[in-house]
Structure formats: structure tokens, C-alpha cells
Amino acid sequence: MESASQDINLNSPNKGLLADAMTDVPVDNAARGAAPEGLTLAEEEELRAELAKVEEEIGTLRQVLAAKERHCGELKRKLGLTPLDGLKQNLSKSWHDVQVSNAYVKTSEKLGEWNDKVTQSDLYLSASSTLEDWNEKLTQSEAYKKTQETLSQAGQKTSAALSNVGSVISRKLGDMRNSATFKSFEDRVGTIKSRVVGSRENSTDGLHSPSGAGDKPPQDNAPF
């Protein structure tokens, strides 16, 4: 495992190996073609040298970034951080950056100003007042009061009807129990039950009755 001390140093003499390998390829001056218009040969050579230096620095920075990313991944693995945790952290940070950004703050302020202007405008106040008047007129109208009274009476009648139905059912059940037919049926059920219980008791007594003396086998008391 590579440690943080093994990261590529920008001041290392081995920096930019990839860039050096690419820039060390000899280039024939004849293959380069003529110098661009408006540039002397010396200026062209100076610009090419500066370009090679910048490309070398870019290659070095890429190597440093790759080493830092590997080290960061190892640290996250040791801490038990999953890619999902990293995604949540990045989203949270991004949202926080958005909230503190100048564009978001200005937009929030503009929306607040627009809301104040709308709620304080004459049109909005007039519309709110008109709606309140309509609501008051509607609740105070005779049609609204009659409708409310009708609904209330309908609810009371429904409750009374349900209560009457329950009372009627209870009374019918009581009359049925006191009727001669129900009592006769109840007596018959009791008689059948008594007969069944009595027959079971008789059967039990017959099974458990002691045997007579004559049923005992003779005992041989003769000496052996």
C-alpha cells in the first residue's frame, strides 16, 4: 500500500516523465513548416519551449492527482466509507453550496420581494376582500341556512330510525322467546338432553358394576 509520503512531488527531479518522453522526440525543423505569419523564428522557438514546459507541468499534475486519488480511496476503505456515503456527502455539500451561492440568495430575496408586492397590491387586497364578502353572504343566505337545517334534520331522522329499528328487533326477539312455540321447542330440547345424559349415565354404571361372587374363579388352596 502506498502512503501519502510516496505521492509525486512537484519539485521532484523525476516529475513529468510521461511529458518528457513525449517532448524528447526530436522534431525536424523542416517538418514543422514555415513559422506562423507575424512570428519570427526566435519567437516560435520560445513559444514552443513554453508549450513543452506547460505540457510537462500538466503531466506532472495528472500523476500527482492519480496518486492522491489512490490514497484517498485507501483512507475511505479503512474508515468503512462506501461509495453511497460519498455520494450523499457530495450531494449535501452541493446543496449547501447552492444555498450559500449568490444566485440562490438573490433569487430568494427576489421571490420574497415579489411575494410582498403581490400580497400588498391593490388587486390582491381587492380579490381577498371580495372572496370574504362572498363567503359571508353565502353563509348568511337563506338557501345556505335551509340546506344546513335540512341536513341536520336528515341526520337526526336517520339516527332515530336506526334506534327504532334496534328497539323493534329487540322487542321481536323477546316476543319470540315468550311465545308458546318457542317454549315448546325449548322443552323438547331439554327432554332430549335429559334422555341423552341419562342413557350415558346408565351405560357408565353398567361398565363399572362389580362382579358377583360366582363369577370369581375357584382358588386352588391345595398344597403343592
PDB file of all heavy atoms in Angstrom, residues 152-191:
ATOM      1  N   SER A 152     -79.168  18.736   8.866  1.00  0.00           N
ATOM      2  CA  SER A 152     -79.202  18.411  10.292  1.00  0.00           C
ATOM      3  C   SER A 152     -80.428  17.562  10.623  1.00  0.00           C
ATOM      4  O   SER A 152     -80.343  16.576  11.365  1.00  0.00           O
ATOM      5  CB  SER A 152     -79.205  19.712  11.104  1.00  0.00           C
ATOM      6  OG  SER A 152     -79.300  19.434  12.478  1.00  0.00           O
ATOM      7  N   GLN A 153     -81.594  17.951  10.062  1.00  0.00           N
ATOM      8  CA  GLN A 153     -82.802  17.176  10.316  1.00  0.00           C
ATOM      9  C   GLN A 153     -82.705  15.773   9.733  1.00  0.00           C
ATOM     10  O   GLN A 153     -83.164  14.799  10.339  1.00  0.00           O
ATOM     11  CB  GLN A 153     -84.010  17.915   9.732  1.00  0.00           C
ATOM     12  CG  GLN A 153     -84.336  19.215  10.437  1.00  0.00           C
ATOM     13  CD  GLN A 153     -85.456  19.980   9.762  1.00  0.00           C
ATOM     14  OE1 GLN A 153     -86.007  19.523   8.763  1.00  0.00           O
ATOM     15  NE2 GLN A 153     -85.794  21.144  10.315  1.00  0.00           N
ATOM     16  N   ALA A 154     -82.092  15.673   8.538  1.00  0.00           N
ATOM     17  CA  ALA A 154     -81.938  14.351   7.933  1.00  0.00           C
ATOM     18  C   ALA A 154     -81.056  13.456   8.799  1.00  0.00           C
ATOM     19  O   ALA A 154     -81.324  12.265   8.979  1.00  0.00           O
ATOM     20  CB  ALA A 154     -81.330  14.497   6.534  1.00  0.00           C
ATOM     21  N   GLY A 155     -79.996  14.031   9.368  1.00  0.00           N
ATOM     22  CA  GLY A 155     -79.137  13.242  10.248  1.00  0.00           C
ATOM     23  C   GLY A 155     -79.861  12.795  11.498  1.00  0.00           C
ATOM     24  O   GLY A 155     -79.715  11.644  11.950  1.00  0.00           O
ATOM     25  N   GLN A 156     -80.663  13.677  12.072  1.00  0.00           N
ATOM     26  CA  GLN A 156     -81.411  13.307  13.274  1.00  0.00           C
ATOM     27  C   GLN A 156     -82.444  12.219  12.969  1.00  0.00           C
ATOM     28  O   GLN A 156     -82.634  11.283  13.749  1.00  0.00           O
ATOM     29  CB  GLN A 156     -82.099  14.546  13.844  1.00  0.00           C
ATOM     30  CG  GLN A 156     -81.123  15.588  14.389  1.00  0.00           C
ATOM     31  CD  GLN A 156     -81.822  16.839  14.866  1.00  0.00           C
ATOM     32  OE1 GLN A 156     -83.057  16.946  14.776  1.00  0.00           O
ATOM     33  NE2 GLN A 156     -81.056  17.794  15.376  1.00  0.00           N
ATOM     34  N   LYS A 157     -83.115  12.350  11.806  1.00  0.00           N
ATOM     35  CA  LYS A 157     -84.104  11.347  11.445  1.00  0.00           C
ATOM     36  C   LYS A 157     -83.452   9.988  11.192  1.00  0.00           C
ATOM     37  O   LYS A 157     -83.997   8.942  11.566  1.00  0.00           O
ATOM     38  CB  LYS A 157     -84.865  11.793  10.195  1.00  0.00           C
ATOM     39  CG  LYS A 157     -85.801  12.973  10.447  1.00  0.00           C
ATOM     40  CD  LYS A 157     -86.531  13.367   9.176  1.00  0.00           C
ATOM     41  CE  LYS A 157     -87.481  14.538   9.432  1.00  0.00           C
ATOM     42  NZ  LYS A 157     -88.207  14.962   8.208  1.00  0.00           N
ATOM     43  N   THR A 158     -82.296  10.027  10.576  1.00  0.00           N
ATOM     44  CA  THR A 158     -81.600   8.758  10.327  1.00  0.00           C
ATOM     45  C   THR A 158     -81.211   8.078  11.631  1.00  0.00           C
ATOM     46  O   THR A 158     -81.367   6.859  11.796  1.00  0.00           O
ATOM     47  CB  THR A 158     -80.348   9.021   9.477  1.00  0.00           C
ATOM     48  OG1 THR A 158     -80.732   9.647   8.254  1.00  0.00           O
ATOM     49  CG2 THR A 158     -79.616   7.730   9.172  1.00  0.00           C
ATOM     50  N   SER A 159     -80.711   8.858  12.587  1.00  0.00           N
ATOM     51  CA  SER A 159     -80.334   8.291  13.890  1.00  0.00           C
ATOM     52  C   SER A 159     -81.556   7.726  14.600  1.00  0.00           C
ATOM     53  O   SER A 159     -81.509   6.636  15.199  1.00  0.00           O
ATOM     54  CB  SER A 159     -79.670   9.368  14.746  1.00  0.00           C
ATOM     55  OG  SER A 159     -78.493   9.850  14.130  1.00  0.00           O
ATOM     56  N   ALA A 160     -82.679   8.461  14.548  1.00  0.00           N
ATOM     57  CA  ALA A 160     -83.898   7.980  15.205  1.00  0.00           C
ATOM     58  C   ALA A 160     -84.405   6.703  14.546  1.00  0.00           C
ATOM     59  O   ALA A 160     -84.859   5.773  15.227  1.00  0.00           O
ATOM     60  CB  ALA A 160     -84.967   9.068  15.154  1.00  0.00           C
ATOM     61  N   ALA A 161     -84.316   6.652  13.206  1.00  0.00           N
ATOM     62  CA  ALA A 161     -84.784   5.457  12.505  1.00  0.00           C
ATOM     63  C   ALA A 161     -83.950   4.242  12.878  1.00  0.00           C
ATOM     64  O   ALA A 161     -84.483   3.149  13.112  1.00  0.00           O
ATOM     65  CB  ALA A 161     -84.729   5.694  10.991  1.00  0.00           C
ATOM     66  N   LEU A 162     -82.646   4.417  12.933  1.00  0.00           N
ATOM     67  CA  LEU A 162     -81.790   3.296  13.322  1.00  0.00           C
ATOM     68  C   LEU A 162     -82.074   2.848  14.752  1.00  0.00           C
ATOM     69  O   LEU A 162     -82.066   1.646  15.056  1.00  0.00           O
ATOM     70  CB  LEU A 162     -80.315   3.712  13.180  1.00  0.00           C
ATOM     71  CG  LEU A 162     -79.830   3.953  11.737  1.00  0.00           C
ATOM     72  CD1 LEU A 162     -78.395   4.472  11.752  1.00  0.00           C
ATOM     73  CD2 LEU A 162     -79.894   2.669  10.918  1.00  0.00           C
ATOM     74  N   SER A 163     -82.303   3.821  15.634  1.00  0.00           N
ATOM     75  CA  SER A 163     -82.622   3.469  17.020  1.00  0.00           C
ATOM     76  C   SER A 163     -83.943   2.698  17.092  1.00  0.00           C
ATOM     77  O   SER A 163     -84.068   1.711  17.833  1.00  0.00           O
ATOM     78  CB  SER A 163     -82.694   4.736  17.863  1.00  0.00           C
ATOM     79  OG  SER A 163     -83.053   4.427  19.194  1.00  0.00           O
ATOM     80  N   ASN A 164     -84.946   3.130  16.314  1.00  0.00           N
ATOM     81  CA  ASN A 164     -86.237   2.432  16.305  1.00  0.00           C
ATOM     82  C   ASN A 164     -86.103   1.012  15.765  1.00  0.00           C
ATOM     83  O   ASN A 164     -86.731   0.080  16.270  1.00  0.00           O
ATOM     84  CB  ASN A 164     -87.239   3.214  15.447  1.00  0.00           C
ATOM     85  CG  ASN A 164     -87.623   4.542  16.095  1.00  0.00           C
ATOM     86  OD1 ASN A 164     -87.573   4.679  17.320  1.00  0.00           O
ATOM     87  ND2 ASN A 164     -88.005   5.522  15.274  1.00  0.00           N
ATOM     88  N   VAL A 165     -85.274   0.848  14.725  1.00  0.00           N
ATOM     89  CA  VAL A 165     -85.068  -0.491  14.178  1.00  0.00           C
ATOM     90  C   VAL A 165     -84.470  -1.422  15.223  1.00  0.00           C
ATOM     91  O   VAL A 165     -84.872  -2.580  15.392  1.00  0.00           O
ATOM     92  CB  VAL A 165     -84.173  -0.416  12.920  1.00  0.00           C
ATOM     93  CG1 VAL A 165     -83.735  -1.811  12.492  1.00  0.00           C
ATOM     94  CG2 VAL A 165     -84.909   0.265  11.781  1.00  0.00           C
ATOM     95  N   GLY A 166     -83.487  -0.911  15.988  1.00  0.00           N
ATOM     96  CA  GLY A 166     -82.880  -1.728  17.040  1.00  0.00           C
ATOM     97  C   GLY A 166     -83.888  -2.104  18.111  1.00  0.00           C
ATOM     98  O   GLY A 166     -83.917  -3.242  18.599  1.00  0.00           O
ATOM     99  N   SER A 167     -84.732  -1.139  18.484  1.00  0.00           N
ATOM    100  CA  SER A 167     -85.745  -1.438  19.501  1.00  0.00           C
ATOM    101  C   SER A 167     -86.742  -2.470  19.007  1.00  0.00           C
ATOM    102  O   SER A 167     -87.145  -3.383  19.748  1.00  0.00           O
ATOM    103  CB  SER A 167     -86.469  -0.136  19.882  1.00  0.00           C
ATOM    104  OG  SER A 167     -85.565   0.817  20.401  1.00  0.00           O
ATOM    105  N   VAL A 168     -87.155  -2.340  17.752  1.00  0.00           N
ATOM    106  CA  VAL A 168     -88.117  -3.292  17.198  1.00  0.00           C
ATOM    107  C   VAL A 168     -87.529  -4.701  17.160  1.00  0.00           C
ATOM    108  O   VAL A 168     -88.203  -5.692  17.507  1.00  0.00           O
ATOM    109  CB  VAL A 168     -88.550  -2.835  15.784  1.00  0.00           C
ATOM    110  CG1 VAL A 168     -89.354  -3.927  15.094  1.00  0.00           C
ATOM    111  CG2 VAL A 168     -89.365  -1.556  15.877  1.00  0.00           C
ATOM    112  N   ILE A 169     -86.270  -4.822  16.760  1.00  0.00           N
ATOM    113  CA  ILE A 169     -85.635  -6.142  16.706  1.00  0.00           C
ATOM    114  C   ILE A 169     -85.542  -6.758  18.088  1.00  0.00           C
ATOM    115  O   ILE A 169     -85.810  -7.948  18.289  1.00  0.00           O
ATOM    116  CB  ILE A 169     -84.247  -6.021  16.058  1.00  0.00           C
ATOM    117  CG1 ILE A 169     -84.394  -5.634  14.569  1.00  0.00           C
ATOM    118  CG2 ILE A 169     -83.466  -7.322  16.189  1.00  0.00           C
ATOM    119  CD1 ILE A 169     -83.080  -5.371  13.877  1.00  0.00           C
ATOM    120  N   SER A 170     -85.171  -5.949  19.082  1.00  0.00           N
ATOM    121  CA  SER A 170     -85.078  -6.472  20.451  1.00  0.00           C
ATOM    122  C   SER A 170     -86.443  -6.920  20.958  1.00  0.00           C
ATOM    123  O   SER A 170     -86.576  -7.971  21.614  1.00  0.00           O
ATOM    124  CB  SER A 170     -84.513  -5.381  21.373  1.00  0.00           C
ATOM    125  OG  SER A 170     -83.208  -5.018  20.961  1.00  0.00           O
ATOM    126  N   ARG A 171     -87.477  -6.130  20.672  1.00  0.00           N
ATOM    127  CA  ARG A 171     -88.820  -6.493  21.117  1.00  0.00           C
ATOM    128  C   ARG A 171     -89.299  -7.773  20.432  1.00  0.00           C
ATOM    129  O   ARG A 171     -89.916  -8.642  21.051  1.00  0.00           O
ATOM    130  CB  ARG A 171     -89.779  -5.339  20.825  1.00  0.00           C
ATOM    131  CG  ARG A 171     -91.183  -5.574  21.412  1.00  0.00           C
ATOM    132  CD  ARG A 171     -92.066  -4.350  21.309  1.00  0.00           C
ATOM    133  NE  ARG A 171     -92.276  -3.941  19.932  1.00  0.00           N
ATOM    134  CZ  ARG A 171     -91.711  -2.890  19.355  1.00  0.00           C
ATOM    135  NH1 ARG A 171     -90.863  -2.135  20.056  1.00  0.00           N
ATOM    136  NH2 ARG A 171     -91.974  -2.576  18.094  1.00  0.00           N
ATOM    137  N   LYS A 172     -89.016  -7.902  19.136  1.00  0.00           N
ATOM    138  CA  LYS A 172     -89.422  -9.116  18.421  1.00  0.00           C
ATOM    139  C   LYS A 172     -88.746 -10.353  18.982  1.00  0.00           C
ATOM    140  O   LYS A 172     -89.356 -11.418  19.131  1.00  0.00           O
ATOM    141  CB  LYS A 172     -89.093  -8.960  16.935  1.00  0.00           C
ATOM    142  CG  LYS A 172     -89.963  -7.961  16.190  1.00  0.00           C
ATOM    143  CD  LYS A 172     -91.396  -8.424  16.108  1.00  0.00           C
ATOM    144  CE  LYS A 172     -92.259  -7.461  15.302  1.00  0.00           C
ATOM    145  NZ  LYS A 172     -93.668  -7.899  15.242  1.00  0.00           N
ATOM    146  N   LEU A 173     -87.467 -10.213  19.312  1.00  0.00           N
ATOM    147  CA  LEU A 173     -86.765 -11.357  19.895  1.00  0.00           C
ATOM    148  C   LEU A 173     -87.360 -11.738  21.240  1.00  0.00           C
ATOM    149  O   LEU A 173     -87.498 -12.926  21.580  1.00  0.00           O
ATOM    150  CB  LEU A 173     -85.273 -11.029  20.033  1.00  0.00           C
ATOM    151  CG  LEU A 173     -84.483 -10.917  18.721  1.00  0.00           C
ATOM    152  CD1 LEU A 173     -83.046 -10.478  19.004  1.00  0.00           C
ATOM    153  CD2 LEU A 173     -84.475 -12.258  17.980  1.00  0.00           C
ATOM    154  N   GLY A 174     -87.720 -10.720  22.057  1.00  0.00           N
ATOM    155  CA  GLY A 174     -88.335 -11.013  23.348  1.00  0.00           C
ATOM    156  C   GLY A 174     -89.681 -11.694  23.197  1.00  0.00           C
ATOM    157  O   GLY A 174     -90.012 -12.651  23.917  1.00  0.00           O
ATOM    158  N   ASP A 175     -90.484 -11.207  22.227  1.00  0.00           N
ATOM    159  CA  ASP A 175     -91.786 -11.842  21.990  1.00  0.00           C
ATOM    160  C   ASP A 175     -91.617 -13.282  21.510  1.00  0.00           C
ATOM    161  O   ASP A 175     -92.398 -14.179  21.876  1.00  0.00           O
ATOM    162  CB  ASP A 175     -92.565 -11.027  20.955  1.00  0.00           C
ATOM    163  CG  ASP A 175     -92.915  -9.634  21.476  1.00  0.00           C
ATOM    164  OD1 ASP A 175     -92.879  -9.438  22.722  1.00  0.00           O
ATOM    165  OD2 ASP A 175     -93.195  -8.740  20.649  1.00  0.00           O
ATOM    166  N   MET A 176     -90.614 -13.516  20.691  1.00  0.00           N
ATOM    167  CA  MET A 176     -90.384 -14.868  20.182  1.00  0.00           C
ATOM    168  C   MET A 176     -90.017 -15.820  21.312  1.00  0.00           C
ATOM    169  O   MET A 176     -90.494 -16.972  21.360  1.00  0.00           O
ATOM    170  CB  MET A 176     -89.268 -14.835  19.135  1.00  0.00           C
ATOM    171  CG  MET A 176     -89.012 -16.173  18.455  1.00  0.00           C
ATOM    172  SD  MET A 176     -87.621 -16.078  17.323  1.00  0.00           S
ATOM    173  CE  MET A 176     -88.255 -14.864  16.166  1.00  0.00           C
ATOM    174  N   ARG A 177     -89.186 -15.360  22.272  1.00  0.00           N
ATOM    175  CA  ARG A 177     -88.802 -16.234  23.387  1.00  0.00           C
ATOM    176  C   ARG A 177     -89.989 -16.537  24.294  1.00  0.00           C
ATOM    177  O   ARG A 177     -90.049 -17.591  24.926  1.00  0.00           O
ATOM    178  CB  ARG A 177     -87.679 -15.584  24.202  1.00  0.00           C
ATOM    179  CG  ARG A 177     -86.349 -15.540  23.469  1.00  0.00           C
ATOM    180  CD  ARG A 177     -85.273 -14.926  24.372  1.00  0.00           C
ATOM    181  NE  ARG A 177     -85.094 -15.721  25.578  1.00  0.00           N
ATOM    182  CZ  ARG A 177     -84.291 -16.788  25.684  1.00  0.00           C
ATOM    183  NH1 ARG A 177     -83.583 -17.173  24.628  1.00  0.00           N
ATOM    184  NH2 ARG A 177     -84.182 -17.453  26.811  1.00  0.00           N
ATOM    185  N   ASN A 178     -90.936 -15.602  24.404  1.00  0.00           N
ATOM    186  CA  ASN A 178     -92.090 -15.799  25.278  1.00  0.00           C
ATOM    187  C   ASN A 178     -93.244 -16.508  24.576  1.00  0.00           C
ATOM    188  O   ASN A 178     -94.262 -16.812  25.206  1.00  0.00           O
ATOM    189  CB  ASN A 178     -92.584 -14.446  25.798  1.00  0.00           C
ATOM    190  CG  ASN A 178     -91.553 -13.778  26.714  1.00  0.00           C
ATOM    191  OD1 ASN A 178     -90.831 -14.474  27.429  1.00  0.00           O
ATOM    192  ND2 ASN A 178     -91.482 -12.451  26.683  1.00  0.00           N
ATOM    193  N   SER A 179     -93.091 -16.764  23.298  1.00  0.00           N
ATOM    194  CA  SER A 179     -94.177 -17.421  22.563  1.00  0.00           C
ATOM    195  C   SER A 179     -94.265 -18.900  22.951  1.00  0.00           C
ATOM    196  O   SER A 179     -93.303 -19.510  23.413  1.00  0.00           O
ATOM    197  CB  SER A 179     -93.959 -17.283  21.053  1.00  0.00           C
ATOM    198  OG  SER A 179     -92.775 -17.964  20.676  1.00  0.00           O
ATOM    199  N   ALA A 180     -95.472 -19.471  22.746  1.00  0.00           N
ATOM    200  CA  ALA A 180     -95.697 -20.883  23.089  1.00  0.00           C
ATOM    201  C   ALA A 180     -94.880 -21.812  22.208  1.00  0.00           C
ATOM    202  O   ALA A 180     -94.384 -22.851  22.654  1.00  0.00           O
ATOM    203  CB  ALA A 180     -97.193 -21.205  22.954  1.00  0.00           C
ATOM    204  N   THR A 181     -94.719 -21.435  20.966  1.00  0.00           N
ATOM    205  CA  THR A 181     -93.952 -22.280  20.044  1.00  0.00           C
ATOM    206  C   THR A 181     -92.510 -22.407  20.494  1.00  0.00           C
ATOM    207  O   THR A 181     -91.929 -23.500  20.531  1.00  0.00           O
ATOM    208  CB  THR A 181     -94.010 -21.695  18.628  1.00  0.00           C
ATOM    209  OG1 THR A 181     -95.388 -21.578  18.226  1.00  0.00           O
ATOM    210  CG2 THR A 181     -93.270 -22.586  17.650  1.00  0.00           C
ATOM    211  N   PHE A 182     -91.890 -21.246  20.876  1.00  0.00           N
ATOM    212  CA  PHE A 182     -90.503 -21.272  21.309  1.00  0.00           C
ATOM    213  C   PHE A 182     -90.347 -22.052  22.604  1.00  0.00           C
ATOM    214  O   PHE A 182     -89.390 -22.819  22.774  1.00  0.00           O
ATOM    215  CB  PHE A 182     -89.994 -19.835  21.488  1.00  0.00           C
ATOM    216  CG  PHE A 182     -88.530 -19.751  21.795  1.00  0.00           C
ATOM    217  CD1 PHE A 182     -87.586 -19.770  20.773  1.00  0.00           C
ATOM    218  CD2 PHE A 182     -88.083 -19.672  23.105  1.00  0.00           C
ATOM    219  CE1 PHE A 182     -86.231 -19.683  21.054  1.00  0.00           C
ATOM    220  CE2 PHE A 182     -86.736 -19.608  23.389  1.00  0.00           C
ATOM    221  CZ  PHE A 182     -85.804 -19.611  22.363  1.00  0.00           C
ATOM    222  N   LYS A 183     -91.313 -21.878  23.552  1.00  0.00           N
ATOM    223  CA  LYS A 183     -91.230 -22.607  24.821  1.00  0.00           C
ATOM    224  C   LYS A 183     -91.378 -24.101  24.591  1.00  0.00           C
ATOM    225  O   LYS A 183     -90.696 -24.915  25.220  1.00  0.00           O
ATOM    226  CB  LYS A 183     -92.294 -22.109  25.780  1.00  0.00           C
ATOM    227  CG  LYS A 183     -92.007 -20.710  26.318  1.00  0.00           C
ATOM    228  CD  LYS A 183     -93.061 -20.298  27.326  1.00  0.00           C
ATOM    229  CE  LYS A 183     -92.733 -18.923  27.914  1.00  0.00           C
ATOM    230  NZ  LYS A 183     -93.742 -18.490  28.910  1.00  0.00           N
ATOM    231  N   SER A 184     -92.295 -24.502  23.680  1.00  0.00           N
ATOM    232  CA  SER A 184     -92.467 -25.921  23.378  1.00  0.00           C
ATOM    233  C   SER A 184     -91.184 -26.494  22.784  1.00  0.00           C
ATOM    234  O   SER A 184     -90.754 -27.594  23.144  1.00  0.00           O
ATOM    235  CB  SER A 184     -93.634 -26.105  22.403  1.00  0.00           C
ATOM    236  OG  SER A 184     -93.763 -27.458  22.013  1.00  0.00           O
ATOM    237  N   PHE A 185     -90.577 -25.721  21.881  1.00  0.00           N
ATOM    238  CA  PHE A 185     -89.320 -26.181  21.290  1.00  0.00           C
ATOM    239  C   PHE A 185     -88.228 -26.294  22.343  1.00  0.00           C
ATOM    240  O   PHE A 185     -87.436 -27.249  22.361  1.00  0.00           O
ATOM    241  CB  PHE A 185     -88.917 -25.198  20.186  1.00  0.00           C
ATOM    242  CG  PHE A 185     -87.585 -25.505  19.562  1.00  0.00           C
ATOM    243  CD1 PHE A 185     -87.447 -26.553  18.658  1.00  0.00           C
ATOM    244  CD2 PHE A 185     -86.467 -24.754  19.892  1.00  0.00           C
ATOM    245  CE1 PHE A 185     -86.225 -26.833  18.089  1.00  0.00           C
ATOM    246  CE2 PHE A 185     -85.248 -25.027  19.331  1.00  0.00           C
ATOM    247  CZ  PHE A 185     -85.114 -26.070  18.425  1.00  0.00           C
ATOM    248  N   GLU A 186     -88.200 -25.347  23.271  1.00  0.00           N
ATOM    249  CA  GLU A 186     -87.203 -25.366  24.338  1.00  0.00           C
ATOM    250  C   GLU A 186     -87.409 -26.563  25.253  1.00  0.00           C
ATOM    251  O   GLU A 186     -86.443 -27.209  25.693  1.00  0.00           O
ATOM    252  CB  GLU A 186     -87.276 -24.062  25.130  1.00  0.00           C
ATOM    253  CG  GLU A 186     -86.107 -23.841  26.074  1.00  0.00           C
ATOM    254  CD  GLU A 186     -86.177 -22.479  26.731  1.00  0.00           C
ATOM    255  OE1 GLU A 186     -87.282 -21.893  26.758  1.00  0.00           O
ATOM    256  OE2 GLU A 186     -85.141 -21.989  27.207  1.00  0.00           O
ATOM    257  N   ASP A 187     -88.686 -26.877  25.563  1.00  0.00           N
ATOM    258  CA  ASP A 187     -88.967 -28.053  26.403  1.00  0.00           C
ATOM    259  C   ASP A 187     -88.527 -29.337  25.723  1.00  0.00           C
ATOM    260  O   ASP A 187     -87.974 -30.251  26.353  1.00  0.00           O
ATOM    261  CB  ASP A 187     -90.471 -28.114  26.723  1.00  0.00           C
ATOM    262  CG  ASP A 187     -90.896 -26.953  27.614  1.00  0.00           C
ATOM    263  OD1 ASP A 187     -90.004 -26.377  28.290  1.00  0.00           O
ATOM    264  OD2 ASP A 187     -92.092 -26.612  27.614  1.00  0.00           O
ATOM    265  N   ARG A 188     -88.767 -29.420  24.410  1.00  0.00           N
ATOM    266  CA  ARG A 188     -88.364 -30.623  23.687  1.00  0.00           C
ATOM    267  C   ARG A 188     -86.854 -30.799  23.702  1.00  0.00           C
ATOM    268  O   ARG A 188     -86.328 -31.905  23.887  1.00  0.00           O
ATOM    269  CB  ARG A 188     -88.868 -30.554  22.248  1.00  0.00           C
ATOM    270  CG  ARG A 188     -90.380 -30.668  22.124  1.00  0.00           C
ATOM    271  CD  ARG A 188     -90.805 -30.574  20.669  1.00  0.00           C
ATOM    272  NE  ARG A 188     -92.272 -30.668  20.554  1.00  0.00           N
ATOM    273  CZ  ARG A 188     -92.911 -30.576  19.387  1.00  0.00           C
ATOM    274  NH1 ARG A 188     -92.225 -30.414  18.257  1.00  0.00           N
ATOM    275  NH2 ARG A 188     -94.231 -30.663  19.368  1.00  0.00           N
ATOM    276  N   VAL A 189     -86.157 -29.689  23.503  1.00  0.00           N
ATOM    277  CA  VAL A 189     -84.692 -29.766  23.542  1.00  0.00           C
ATOM    278  C   VAL A 189     -84.214 -30.207  24.907  1.00  0.00           C
ATOM    279  O   VAL A 189     -83.301 -31.033  25.042  1.00  0.00           O
ATOM    280  CB  VAL A 189     -84.081 -28.405  23.153  1.00  0.00           C
ATOM    281  CG1 VAL A 189     -82.578 -28.397  23.386  1.00  0.00           C
ATOM    282  CG2 VAL A 189     -84.384 -28.086  21.694  1.00  0.00           C
ATOM    283  N   GLY A 190     -84.869 -29.718  25.995  1.00  0.00           N
ATOM    284  CA  GLY A 190     -84.476 -30.128  27.342  1.00  0.00           C
ATOM    285  C   GLY A 190     -84.750 -31.594  27.590  1.00  0.00           C
ATOM    286  O   GLY A 190     -83.961 -32.302  28.231  1.00  0.00           O
ATOM    287  N   THR A 191     -85.865 -32.092  27.073  1.00  0.00           N
ATOM    288  CA  THR A 191     -86.203 -33.512  27.259  1.00  0.00           C
ATOM    289  C   THR A 191     -85.194 -34.410  26.554  1.00  0.00           C
ATOM    290  O   THR A 191     -84.726 -35.416  27.105  1.00  0.00           O
ATOM    291  CB  THR A 191     -87.616 -33.776  26.717  1.00  0.00           C
ATOM    292  OG1 THR A 191     -88.554 -32.929  27.391  1.00  0.00           O
ATOM    293  CG2 THR A 191     -88.004 -35.232  26.923  1.00  0.00           C
TER     294      THR A 191
END
